[in-house]
Amino acid sequence: MYELRKALNNIFLTLTWIASVSVILILLFIIAYITYKGAPVVNLKFITTWPQGYEAKGGIWPTIITTFYLTIFSAAIVTPIAVGGAIYLTEYSKPFSRFSRYVRFAADTLSSVPSIVYGIFGFAFFVIYLGFGWSMLSGSLTLALMILPLILRSTEEAILDVPYGYKEASYGLGATKWQTISRVVLRTAFPRILTGVILGMGRAFGETAAVMLTAGMALNIPISVFDGGRNMSSHLFLLATEGISLDAAFGTAFLLLVIILFFNVGAKRIARRVGK
Amino acid sequence: MNIKIKENAFEVRNLNLWYGKHKALEDITIDIVKNAITAIIGPSGCGKSTFLRCLNRMNDLIDGIRIEGKVYFEGKNIYDEGTDVVLLRKRVGMIFQQPNPFPMSIYDNVAFGPRLHGIRDRNRLDEIVKDSLEKASLWKEVKNKLNESALSLSGGQQQRLAIARVLAVEPEVILMDEPCSALDPASTQRIEDLMVELKANYTIVIVTHNMQQAARVSDFTAFLLAEENEPAKLIEYGETGQIFTNPKDIRTENYITGRFG
Ligand SMILES: Nc1ncnc2c1ncn2[C@@H]1O[C@H](COP(=O)(O)OP(=O)(O)O)[C@@H](O)[C@H]1O
Ligand SMILES: [Mg+2]
């Protein structure tokens, strides 16, 4: 009996080991392949010039600007809402009240809705109904909605992890509730909140479907929030599906990969700094 | 003639407390003497912390709690409606079992309270921080690393930092809930010495399950006991010397001689 249990244990251990190693291998393979195909295409000119001609020679400059515009703008819209919502859920409504449970359930469901669904909603509501057109505003609002659940939940968890003793100590010194929240709770949770925001930005950064339907596909350097633009993923999608230029597509993919990796490493680093 | 009349910091009258349906304190009536150290002793789980937290309304933070009776602090019932709880907690500071330094610098920990109460002037804050750390006998050890994280201090130092943090808001009373239970004997000794020093200017109420500690530092001792499935009652209260040498209640005697609890 004991022998059998031990054998089973070893088998499962081996299986899980194989599973985790294959995850790493697959990831490495993808990175290697994209790098092999894409890295040679990328140079300063590729980054800083416009696409030229119908073969999209040249670079991808406007799509980079559009991508950053959408990412930063959507994060700026969503962060205060997510943090405010998380504070309400954790500190004001009772954590296990029906309302909080509904909000959590809604957030968890919303975070698994495919992005194209956000796209079609954003198109119908922001682009058409509110008349914002294909624009940075429509795109960023849609992206903000898309990453709201993720940031809300990660912020909520970060706040719930602040030791109760900190709050007690703060109240004990005569802090009001708001002082305790702003000076102790948010301050302590800040690095982890930031981690969540950065991961959310990573998602906004690489989003395709939701952006194509709301920010449009025009190559443009957006200035005003009502300007449209094409982000890197959409550009990549068009280059690949319309068979315009696989080289440029891989170059774009490589850049996207590098920047997203950067987001994730940044988020990890911040998370690790909290651990200390 | 040098007649010194003892003044009371707190006068607790018929205090009853429920956690939901569970009654935790029954009919506690006690006077807490000013500028003295009062020890609350009793078996663990009998309601010592619960009682202590009634004195600065820390229990307000707990859902489903209900309190009846009166707690007069400097003559005013703190459970009256118009009580400014924030001001009360400034005047009645609290030290917990875990020091819980905020994850900030030593300086910012001590300056936290004064800043809450609107002090912004850097010189003034410097003064308060130094003064509070000195009173908590921690200044010498940390004066060269005020900007380092408070989490880098040892447990005993963290507890003295917690005391400095409370002193910085200039309280009149300091409530201590088993402040030494997580500390080694040397650190415990320092905190006890500190308490005796602070007594001149502050009223101190300390919860402890360490009888020797109560006997060593306190002037008055209150014995709380919750008998089987009953809420806690105040069994005996008096000068520490009398409680430990000549208890009037057999249950007190049993407890201090270690026969139960
Ligand atoms: N937040 C709470 N909610 C419900 N019951 C509590 C709470 N805190 C303490 N109690 C109960 O009140 C009683 C007294 O607890 P406590 O005051 O912590 O005792 P002590 O400090 O003497 O060890 C215990 O029975 C405990 O289970
Ligand atoms: Mg206790």
Side-chain angles (χ1 to χ4, degrees):
Chain A
M1 200 54 209
Y2 175 72
E3 288 303 314
L4 181 67
R5 280 223 319 262
K6 210 170 137 188
L8 272 179
N9 188 33
N10 284 338
I11 290 171
F12 282 119
L13 212 72
T14 315
L15 283 177
T16 50
W17 185 81
I18 292 173
S20 51
V21 169
S22 23
V23 170
I24 297 175
L25 286 181
I26 292 168
L27 181 68
L28 283 180
F29 176 72
I30 295 174
I31 292 177
Y33 189 74
I34 302 276
T35 307
Y36 167 71
K37 293 285 226 174
V41 184
V42 176
N43 52 33
L44 196 63
K45 187 164 157 271
F46 185 74
I47 294 173
T48 57
T49 61
W50 280 63
Q52 264 142 34
Y54 71 98
E55 277 188 318
K57 290 254 174 328
I60 58 165
W61 176 238
T63 72
I64 295 177
I65 297 296
T66 303
T67 307
F68 274 98
Y69 197 130
L70 288 167
T71 305
I72 293 167
F73 192 17
S74 60
I77 295 169
V78 78
T79 305
I81 299 172
V83 172
I87 291 175
Y88 181 80
L89 285 178
T90 51
E91 302 285 333
Y92 286 95
S93 87
K94 303 206 173 104
F96 302 104
S97 69
R98 182 166 293 191
F99 176 74
S100 311
R101 286 203 319 256
Y102 284 161
V103 173
R104 268 184 216 120
F105 177 74
D108 290 344
T109 308
L110 281 173
S111 59
S112 51
V113 168
S115 60
I116 186 89
V117 176
Y118 285 97
I120 198 72
F121 169 79
F123 176 72
F125 190 65
F126 299 125
V127 177
I128 307 289
Y129 181 74
L130 294 182
F132 295 158
W134 282 316
S135 63
M136 293 300 105
L137 185 59
S138 302
S140 300
L141 285 169
T142 308
L143 286 172
L145 282 180
M146 191 181 90
I147 60 179
L148 173 65
L150 181 118
I151 300 182
L152 179 77
R153 292 293 264 135
S154 64
T155 304
E156 197 193 353
E157 271 156 36
I159 290 178
L160 283 176
D161 260 13
V162 174
Y164 185 66
Y166 289 177
K167 288 189 228 172
E168 247 180 4
S170 169
Y171 285 119
L173 291 166
T176 60
K177 181 156 196 162
W178 177 245
Q179 284 176 323
T180 301
I181 290 171
S182 60
R183 298 183 192 205
V184 177
V185 177
L186 287 185
R187 193 178 158 153
T188 310
F190 178 75
R192 277 191 54 196
I193 295 175
L194 197 60
T195 306
V197 171
I198 292 175
L199 287 175
M201 287 171 80
R203 273 195 65 190
F205 198 89
E207 180 50 35
T208 316
V211 171
M212 282 210 274
L213 286 170
T214 55
M217 287 175 255
L219 283 167
N220 183 31
I221 291 184
I223 307 290
S224 132
V225 297
F226 293 107
D227 290 347
R230 180 196 295 181
N231 76 351
M232 287 164 72
S233 305
S234 309
H235 187 56
L236 167 56
F237 177 78
L238 293 172
L239 290 176
T241 52
E242 321 228 316
I244 300 169
S245 159
L246 269 184
D247 276 354
F250 272 114
T252 310
F254 176 67
L255 263 187
L256 264 174
L257 197 70
V258 169
I259 298 172
I260 300 245
L261 230 49
F262 190 76
F263 272 112
N264 280 283
V265 171
K268 271 264 151 48
R269 283 220 151 161
I270 291 165
R272 191 152 357 110
R273 231 189 52 206
V274 205
K276 280 188 195 155
Chain B
M1 283 257 281
N2 189 5
I3 301 174
K4 201 171 156 196
I5 298 171
K6 285 183 203 134
E7 280 180 76
N8 293 330
F10 291 97
E11 286 157 0
V12 180
R13 294 292 174 266
N14 309 101
L15 184 71
N16 292 278
L17 182 146
W18 293 260
Y19 288 114
K21 293 208 164 60
H22 169 71
K23 188 167 188 185
L25 299 178
E26 180 156 293
D27 213 26
I28 309 263
T29 291
I30 187 173
D31 291 338
I32 306 272
V33 178
K34 217 172 175 168
N35 294 348
I37 301 179
T38 301
I40 316 274
I41 60 169
S44 98
C46 75
K48 303 181 297 294
S49 302
T50 303
F51 171 73
L52 195 69
R53 287 156 171 269
C54 288
L55 301 180
N56 67 343
R57 290 187 57 172
M58 278 304 270
N59 285 328
D60 288 18
L61 305 177
I62 295 167
D63 281 334
I65 205 161
R66 190 158 64 85
I67 294 167
E68 273 176 13
K70 298 199 158 67
V71 176
Y72 295 97
F73 172 51
E74 300 287 333
K76 277 185 124 161
N77 179 14
I78 60 173
Y79 285 95
D80 273 349
E81 249 165 60
T83 304
D84 182 346
V85 179
V86 163
L87 180 64
L88 171 71
R89 296 201 187 119
K90 179 180 180 302
R91 296 175 67 190
V92 183
M94 188 154 204
I95 303 291
F96 304 87
Q97 194 167 343
Q98 298 299 328
N100 280 319
F102 299 128
M104 334 168 165
S105 71
I106 294 168
Y107 185 98
D108 287 340
N109 263 275
V110 183
F112 185 89
R115 280 177 176 145
L116 285 179
H117 303 292
I119 297 174
R120 288 271 168 282
D121 180 60
R122 184 72 197 200
N123 293 331
R124 181 92 188 82
L125 283 174
D126 286 351
E127 234 171 75
I128 295 174
V129 168
K130 175 163 190 265
D131 191 48
S132 310
L133 285 168
E134 273 173 349
K135 282 189 197 151
S137 75
L138 186 61
W139 174 250
K140 284 206 194 86
E141 289 152 71
V142 301
K143 66 177 179 210
N144 293 322
K145 51 175 187 177
L146 290 174
N147 291 319
E148 281 176 31
S149 166
L151 304 177
S152 67
L153 298 175
S154 74
Q157 289 174 323
Q158 288 188 359
Q159 196 57 297
R160 276 179 281 143
L161 180 68
I163 293 174
R165 186 167 68 178
V166 164
L167 294 178
V169 298
E170 302 181 332
E172 294 152 51
V173 180
I174 305 174
L175 309 176
M176 300 183 165
D177 194 346
E178 307 201 13
C180 303
S181 63
L183 303 183
D184 59 83
S187 305
T188 300
Q189 180 66 49
R190 297 203 64 163
I191 304 268
E192 287 180 5
D193 293 347
L194 182 56
M195 284 167 59
V196 174
E197 268 169 45
L198 292 174
K199 179 167 86 169
N201 298 307
Y202 304 88
T203 305
I204 296 178
V205 186
I206 176 175
V207 163
T208 175
H209 60 227
N210 178 336
M211 230 76 57
Q212 289 78 21
Q213 181 167 63
R216 276 194 302 264
V217 301
S218 71
D219 303 297
F220 299 91
T221 298
F223 175 51
L224 282 187
L225 181 65
E227 284 166 310
E228 276 179 67
N229 300 322
E230 297 267 315
K233 296 192 185 108
L234 178 63
I235 304 295
E236 190 164 352
Y237 174 52
E239 297 202 2
T240 298
Q242 176 254 310
I243 297 277
F244 279 90
T245 55
N246 187 19
K248 295 200 176 75
D249 195 294
I250 181 72
R251 291 167 294 183
T252 314
E253 187 174 336
N254 286 344
Y255 181 68
I256 57 178
T257 54
R259 243 165 283 171
F260 70 92

